[in-house]
Structures are given as C-alpha cells and as structure tokens.
Amino acid sequence: MKLLIYGDVVGKLGRAGVKLTLPDWKKEFVPDAVIANVENVAHGKCIGVAQIMELKSAGVEIFTGGNHSVEGKNATSILADETIFITRPANMSPSLPGKGVVVFKKNDLSNPLLVINLVGQVNMRQNYDSPFHAVDKILETYSELTPYKIVDWHADATSEKSIMGWYLDGKISAVFGTHTHVPTADAKILPQGTAYISDIGMVGPMDSIIGVDVPKSIIRFKDQVPAPMDVVENGPIEINAVLIDIGTDGKAVDIKHLRKILINYTI
Ligand code: FE2
C-alpha cells in the first residue's frame, strides 16, 4: 500500500500547495490513499467545511488533526460527518466531538487502512490524556482488523515524538509527526518495520514563522507584546509530504520525504 501524506496544511497557501502538487504526484507515485493534516486549514487555526471540501475535491481522502481540530464554529458537525474520513486526536477528552480513529476502505484495497490520531503531552496548552495508553487501547480493539495501521502523531517535542515511534515499532506501519510545521531529516524505517519521521513539515507560506507573519512574530518574542498571529497569504509556498510504501504484512518498505517550493504559481 502506497500512501501520500501531506503535513499540516496551513491556510489559503497551504490549500493551494496541495492543489498545485497533487495531480502530478498522483500520476508519478500512484498512491492508494492521500492524507493531509488539516487542523490549520481554515485561516491557519482550525478546520472549516469549505476548506475541507476544497481539499476533498482536489483528491485528499483522509483528514487528520491536532490540538486545533475542535476549534472553529463548524468543528462539531464536520467531525461528526460520516461522509468525511476525519480524525481528531484520540487522547483528547471524550467530551469533545469527533473520533481518534477511522477505518478507511476503498474497493481496490485488499485490506482497509486504520488511521489513528494522537496528540502529545509536552509543551501543549491542554493536559491531554496519555497518548501511549490511548494507542494501546485502540490496538487492542483493532489488532486483527488489518495489517495497515498508521498514526498521525501530533506533538511538539522531538524526544516525545521519537519515543512514540520506538514504542510503536512493529505494531504500526507508520508513525508520522505533525504540529511543528518544520520538516525533520530523520525519515527512516525502524528495526521492526515501522516507518517514522519526527515531523513532515507544513504545506504553507514559506516566508513565515510556521505559517504566520514574520514581523509580528518577532514583536511577540522580542518585546513580549501580544501581536496577532496573522497567517501569511502571499509569496512562495513550501510543500512538505511523505510517500510511504507498506508491504502486505503491514511492515513499511520505504519512506521518502517530498519537498517542493513554488515561487511562481497561479491560484
Ligand atoms: Fe498543532
């Protein structure tokens, strides 16, 4: 099974980055499923119906999330919509809308794909439940369902991210990091066959601080003034994704990071 997975899609330029690369990458790589993290898809800070539909029409089939997934006025209805394969982290409060795991089926796939979403506990504003216990519980329930199991691991600290990768080695086909928006150069296959990367990196404005306005970010950090986090909506786009190949036994065969910069483009 071949998966094309985009990292955090940030705002308008993020959506454009997916739409501008997906047709060519679909032709070149022929993925069995296309996945994107969408917690920043609407105005850089939440999910939204129009924005999810825009990506769905472009060919994204599965949508994962993170700490911002439950924000935004339509979050509850989007996360409850059975026609959209969408997750929010499994270890968030059960009082929140949405689910932490989806089973993706397609007629031409011999087995379904289990997509799990987890959020980290380090450097996060909320005190989330243990992602380790949450994933153990999910695996207990779904262990026999399919060999194809992946985790969008939405966390901040590379130490915590790496620990989860090793914890799930051999139990999960791929653990891919999201949230920090900056790609890491550590894509690898762990000894028991789990594909791993600490962070795929974002799809969004390249001339930005993780997607938001540079001068205002400098003011926030240098002068401790609460300047707004405006998402950058023009300029070059960076597109970060991974291509993961999984064998029929559920072990990963290959993981390749894809990165493209678009300077001149039309949207
Ligand atoms: Fe996040």
Side-chain angles (χ1 to χ4, degrees):
M1 175 180 282
K2 219 181 259 183
L3 304 174
L4 174 60
I5 308 171
Y6 287 93
D8 302 62
V9 179
V10 181
K12 185 176 117 185
L13 291 191
R15 301 193 304 274
V18 172
K19 289 192 287 182
L20 290 166
T21 50
L22 193 45
D24 284 350
W25 282 356
K26 265 192 160 181
K27 255 185 237 155
E28 189 178 347
F29 304 122
V30 197
D32 295 298
V34 180
I35 301 157
N37 183 293
V38 292
E39 69 143 9
N40 303 121
V41 79
H43 322 295
K45 54 192 168 203
C46 57
I47 58 176
V49 182
Q51 295 85 357
I52 300 268
M53 288 308 143
E54 192 181 335
L55 292 184
K56 202 175 174 192
S57 324
V60 178
E61 296 164 292
I62 304 162
F63 304 90
T64 57
N67 49 311
H68 295 303
S69 283
V70 296
E71 295 164 20
K73 61 178 182 197
N74 296 312
T76 302
S77 58
I78 300 168
L79 291 169
D81 190 334
E82 295 291 332
T83 66
I84 307 171
F85 289 98
I86 188 162
T87 61
R88 52 88 166 152
N91 55 317
M92 284 176 142
S93 165
S95 310
L96 293 167
K99 48 198 172 302
V101 54
V102 289
V103 178
F104 178 75
K105 289 179 188 158
K106 228 170 150 180
N107 290 341
D108 52 345
L109 289 180
S110 55
N111 279 300
L113 173 68
L114 187 77
V115 182
I116 303 166
N117 201 178
L118 301 170
V119 67
Q121 294 177 300
V122 178
N123 300 337
M124 289 291 185
R125 255 179 255 163
Q126 304 291 334
N127 296 314
Y128 298 114
D129 299 339
S130 165
F132 297 91
H133 295 163
V135 75
D136 281 350
K137 212 170 158 194
I138 291 168
L139 288 178
E140 260 174 49
T141 310
Y142 292 95
S143 63
E144 301 304 319
L145 178 79
T146 175
Y148 305 125
K149 303 180 184 80
I150 60 170
V151 172
D152 178 338
W153 177 212
H154 197 80
D156 194 71
T158 44
S159 51
E160 188 187 22
K161 285 175 150 176
S162 181
I163 289 162
M164 182 62 83
W166 283 92
Y167 180 67
L168 293 177
D169 184 22
K171 302 176 202 162
I172 291 281
S173 311
V175 175
F176 52 95
T178 55
H179 180 65
T180 63
H181 295 198
V182 178
T184 55
D186 60 344
K188 60 190 164 190
I189 310 276
L190 296 172
Q192 303 301 317
T194 296
Y196 175 81
I197 186 167
S198 291
D199 207 291
I200 297 174
M202 70 171 173
V203 185
M206 188 170 75
D207 292 347
S208 73
I209 310 286
I210 63 168
V212 303
D213 183 82
V214 172
K216 285 175 188 152
S217 298
I218 293 173
I219 288 170
R220 255 196 329 278
F221 275 71
K222 174 176 163 277
D223 301 324
Q224 299 162 30
V225 171
M229 291 177 71
D230 295 332
V231 174
V232 174
E233 295 203 327
N234 49 55
I237 306 174
E238 64 173 85
I239 298 109
N240 292 289
V242 285
L243 189 67
I244 296 175
D245 202 351
I246 304 167
T248 50
D249 58 356
K251 307 271 184 200
V253 178
D254 192 28
I255 176 167
K256 191 189 298 164
H257 189 258
L258 308 173
R259 177 172 168 85
K260 190 163 185 165
I261 308 294
L262 294 177
I263 294 170
N264 296 310
Y265 56 87
T266 319
I267 51 173

